[in-house]
Amino acid sequence: YRPYGYLFLATTEEQMEALRTLIAVQQRAGLEQVRLLGPQEVRELVPLVFTDDVIGASYCSTDGFIEPLSLLKGYTERAIERGAQVWLDTEALGIEMAHDAVCGVVTTRGAIATRCVVNAAGAWARRVARMAGIELPVEPLRRQVAGTQPLPALPDETPMVIELGTGFHFRKDHLGGGGVMLLWSDPDEPYGEDVCFDLRWLRRMLPLALRRLPRLRDTQISPRRCWAGLYEVTPDHHAVLGPVPGVAGLYLANGFSGHGVMHAPATGRLLAELIMDGTTRLLDVSPLSIERFARGELIQETGVL
């Protein structure tokens, strides 16, 4: 874990007001390190960043970066040590039901008898839910990353810098030889499972990157550090978490919209409580139920990257 911080840049008063609102929520939840910065403080924190249009920012020094695959490896190894079985290269083909309750899963390695199934299938969550006759509003959405050759002028401890107005953001690539990771969510990207890197996206993103970080002109894009992957998004960009009404034994953990690895420890704890005790002690997850979509009780989210 590299606690180098997140820095959200505001270029309008409306964005500053949104930051003030978000910081108040964070501080009420106990996050004492988050604070507002003025333009001069932003320039001192990230001298290489173009700040002529910045009127303020929010900054939390304890935000940072993790390596998701290493985290997954650690969780998996610990689970196996405690008796779990992990079937790799195994596809789920169907969920077996009896009297509106789960009774098994059919896979390419055979059937598994079980009264409990957790759908944590990421971008393919909707497919898995349909195996139990459930319509789950989770869509796959491509997100792309462009990495550069090394840029030593940008310090390793540079925070993640996010433009609120455009959604463009960048961070140092600590695993890719010291380059920069450039990220931007194209608002015109359609839903789908395409994971091919698109040069048209790169051409649209680069002007944003060069404007906010002019020193990028000192390096080049590295094709080996460019890739695409899939978010799993819901209509309100918040997760669906909890049991499925009317289908005993089926639980959902889907639609985290890019926040999954950050929410993973709490999600595992909450699901364990639901499965073992029928309720949660860590926090109330009822606002995240699948039923909120039918009721029109969507949760507003303004900070999706």
Side-chain angles (χ1 to χ4, degrees), residues 8 14 27 37-39 53 67 115-116 146 154 158 179 188 191-192 198 206 228 230 235 243 246 254 256 263 266 278:
F8 289 85
E14 182 180 8
Q27 291 177 339
L37 301 183
D53 60 342
E67 188 182 341
R115 290 182 291 179
C116 176
L154 190 70
T158 300
D188 297 325
Y191 293 126
D198 188 348
L206 274 178
L230 296 176
N254 309 113
F256 289 88
H263 293 166

Side-chain angles (χ1 to χ4, degrees), residues 53-297:
D53 60 342
V54 173
I55 64 173
S58 72
Y59 173 63
C60 183
S61 60
T62 55
D63 288 344
F65 316 123
I66 59 174
E67 188 182 341
L69 292 181
S70 293
L71 187 66
L72 174 62
K73 183 173 181 289
Y75 274 132
T76 303
E77 290 175 349
R78 183 61 172 153
I80 292 172
E81 288 175 8
R82 295 176 66 87
Q85 294 184 45
V86 177
W87 288 8
L88 302 177
D89 301 313
T90 305
E91 182 181 356
L93 302 176
I95 297 174
E96 296 185 317
M97 307 282 293
H99 308 294
D100 296 324
V102 169
C103 63
V105 177
V106 180
T107 79
T108 50
R109 287 184 56 179
I112 303 170
T114 179
R115 290 182 291 179
C116 176
V117 167
V118 176
N119 179 355
W124 300 273
R126 174 169 251 169
R127 290 193 206 174
V128 172
R130 283 175 174 166
M131 294 177 184
I134 302 302
E135 193 58 39
L136 179 64
V138 172
E139 298 282 2
L141 186 65
R142 180 171 59 176
R143 285 290 183 259
Q144 303 185 69
V145 181
T148 74
Q149 300 288 348
L151 186 64
L154 190 70
D156 281 350
E157 62 273 15
T158 300
M160 172 95 86
V161 178
I162 305 109
E163 293 183 347
L164 284 178
T166 66
F168 167 74
H169 50 297
F170 71 87
R171 51 163 286 196
K172 198 70 183 278
D173 187 353
H174 301 103
L175 300 178
V180 184
M181 296 172 64
L182 310 173
L183 307 99
W184 174 63
S185 302
D186 185 348
D188 297 325
E189 180 73 34
Y191 293 126
E193 297 181 9
D194 184 3
V195 291
C196 294
F197 185 79
D198 188 348
L199 289 176
R200 293 172 298 179
W201 171 87
L202 181 63
R203 285 191 286 267
R204 294 184 66 188
M205 180 276 297
L206 274 178
L208 300 174
L210 290 169
R211 182 174 185 274
R212 190 55 64 191
L213 188 60
R215 289 297 291 272
L216 285 172
R217 292 180 173 85
D218 297 342
T219 187
Q220 295 180 332
I221 298 295
S222 173
R224 292 186 303 170
R225 299 299 296 167
C226 296
W227 71 91
L230 296 176
Y231 269 21
E232 28 143 356
V233 300
T234 62
D236 61 5
H237 298 281
H238 279 279
V240 183
L241 183 59
V244 176
V247 183
L250 181 60
Y251 298 86
L252 304 174
N254 309 113
F256 289 88
S257 301
H259 302 145
V261 69
M262 292 178 269
H263 293 166
T267 298
R269 170 77 174 273
L270 289 161
L271 284 168
E273 291 177 353
L274 282 169
I275 293 167
M276 297 301 296
D277 305 326
T279 187
T280 59
R281 297 182 301 277
L282 183 63
L283 55 87
D284 178 17
V285 296
S286 59
L288 299 176
S289 74
I290 188 175
E291 298 166 286
R292 74 178 187 270
F293 302 109
R295 295 194 298 257
E297 297 175 356

